[in-house]
């Protein structure tokens, strides 16, 4: 504007520069990535409870089928010296199924079944494995006694090889676990490092027991061509054992809470 002195002065206002700060591309990508679901053990979208219930039903079915087969079709079990050697041999599959299949499966699921503090779960887990080994010892004795009385060679079949390997690994697993988790001199860091290996080898040995039971049942089918009803019972027992093994592994893998 013109001033009184005749001079014109122009007032200059400072220019304001607006700079648009663009968001880095990396940050935008990072925001997009955070919306993706995170993979974890809960991605199964279910807990172990349904599998535990199904395992109990299958265990009851396996026990019932094994008892019907041993008592009805095989005539029971006898340990007498003058008794039929086949009655002695019947104790082998019966005690092995009860010990290495049912008791071992329940021991594997002890941390899912037992309600209470962790020491109580550990005690039940340990005792069930002891019961399983006791039944397996009786079943193994019945097999060797039958082979001795019938003058048959020992350890010639795949079933026998798998059985001996399973028993040996089972006992070794139990001893190593006793040293790590029960022995008071074990270091806590060593226990923590051994826990995943203990779970892994426990599942492997349990699956070996399932496989041994299946191969053992298969040995009874071939001589029974003229007895179809007994073959059906054996086949259903094998299917129930297989489903029990699958459900037990799922109960171990699935989380306790979702």
């Amino acid at each position: 504007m013109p001033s009184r002195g005749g001079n014109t002065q122009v007032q200059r206002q400072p220019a304001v520069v607006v700079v648009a700060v663009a968001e880095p591309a990396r940050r935008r990508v990072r925001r997009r990535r955070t919306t993706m679901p995170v993979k974890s053990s809960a991605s199964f979208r279910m807990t172990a409870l349904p599998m535990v219930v199904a395992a109990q039903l299958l265990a009851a079915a396996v026990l019932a089928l094994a008892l019907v087969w041993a008592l009805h079709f095989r005539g029971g079990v006898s340990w007498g010296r003058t008794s039929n050697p086949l009655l002695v041999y019947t104790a082998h599959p019966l005690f092995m199924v009860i010990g290495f299949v049912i008791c071992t499966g329940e021991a594997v699921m002890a941390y899912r079944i037992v309600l209470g503090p962790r020491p109580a779960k550990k005690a039940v887990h340990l005792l069930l494995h002891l019961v399983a080994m006791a039944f397996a010892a009786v079943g193994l004795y019945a097999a060797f006694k039958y082979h001795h009385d019938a003058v048959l060679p020992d350890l010639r079949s795949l079933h026998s090889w798998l059985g001996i390997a399973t028993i040996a690994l089972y006992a070794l697993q139990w001893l190593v676990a006793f040293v790590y988790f029960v022995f008071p001199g074990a270091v806590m860091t060593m226990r923590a490092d051994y826990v995943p290996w203990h779970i892994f080898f426990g599942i492997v040995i349990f699956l070996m027991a399932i496989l041994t039971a299946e191969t053992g049942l298969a040995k009874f089918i071939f001589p029974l061509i003229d007895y179809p009803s007994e073959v059906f019972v054996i086949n259903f027992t094998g299917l129930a054992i297989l489903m029990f093994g699958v459900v037990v592994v799922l109960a171990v893998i699935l989380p306790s809470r979702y």
Side-chain angles (χ1 to χ4, degrees), residues 56-99:
Q56 305 309 313
L57 297 176
L58 288 171
V62 170
L63 180 60
L65 289 170
L67 289 174
V68 168
W69 177 50
L71 300 179
H72 177 70
F73 291 98
R74 288 285 162 173
V77 177
S78 178
W79 298 99
R81 295 182 179 179
T82 59
S83 60
N84 188 357
L86 292 177
L87 298 180
V88 177
Y89 189 55
T90 305
H92 173 70
L94 179 62
F95 279 80
M96 284 298 186
V97 167
I98 295 175

Side-chain angles (χ1 to χ4, degrees), residues 167-235:
I167 292 174
L169 292 176
Y170 200 108
L172 180 62
Q173 169 88 341
W174 192 90
L175 289 175
V176 174
F178 183 85
V179 172
Y180 272 90
F181 301 120
V182 181
F183 187 69
V187 183
M188 295 301 297
T189 56
M190 297 175 60
R191 293 179 179 179
D193 293 338
Y194 179 67
V195 165
W197 292 106
H198 177 72
I199 297 174
F200 170 74
F201 285 116
I203 294 176
V204 169
I205 294 171
F206 174 67
L207 293 178
M208 289 179 63
I210 297 295
L211 180 60
T212 305
E214 300 291 356
T215 55
L217 291 175
K219 294 177 60 179
F220 288 92
I221 295 178
F222 295 104
L224 299 176
I225 300 177
D226 298 333
Y227 302 93
S229 57
E230 184 175 354
V231 172
F232 288 151
V233 173
I234 295 174
N235 289 339

Side-chain angles (χ1 to χ4, degrees), residues 3-24:
S3 62
R4 293 181 181 179
N7 296 328
T8 58
Q9 293 180 355
V10 179
Q11 295 180 355
R12 296 181 179 179
Q13 296 181 356
V16 179
V17 180
V18 179
V19 179
V21 180
E23 186 179 7

Side-chain angles (χ1 to χ4, degrees), residues 87-192:
L87 298 180
V88 177
Y89 189 55
T90 305
H92 173 70
L94 179 62
F95 279 80
M96 284 298 186
V97 167
I98 295 175
F100 264 1
V101 175
I102 298 177
C103 290
T104 301
E106 298 294 335
V108 170
M109 296 185 299
Y111 287 92
R112 297 287 192 267
I113 298 174
V114 179
L115 300 178
R118 188 173 182 82
K121 298 179 180 180
K122 183 186 296 185
V124 173
H125 178 75
L126 184 67
L127 291 176
L128 283 175
H129 278 305
L130 277 176
V131 174
M133 287 192 291
F135 274 102
V138 177
L140 187 64
Y141 169 76
F144 280 104
K145 187 178 186 303
Y146 167 73
H147 282 219
H148 180 269
D149 295 341
V151 193
L152 295 175
D154 297 320
L155 304 177
R156 292 294 183 90
S157 62
L158 175 63
H159 167 73
S160 61
W161 287 19
L162 289 173
I164 294 298
T166 303
I167 292 174
L169 292 176
Y170 200 108
L172 180 62
Q173 169 88 341
W174 192 90
L175 289 175
V176 174
F178 183 85
V179 172
Y180 272 90
F181 301 120
V182 181
F183 187 69
V187 183
M188 295 301 297
T189 56
M190 297 175 60
R191 293 179 179 179

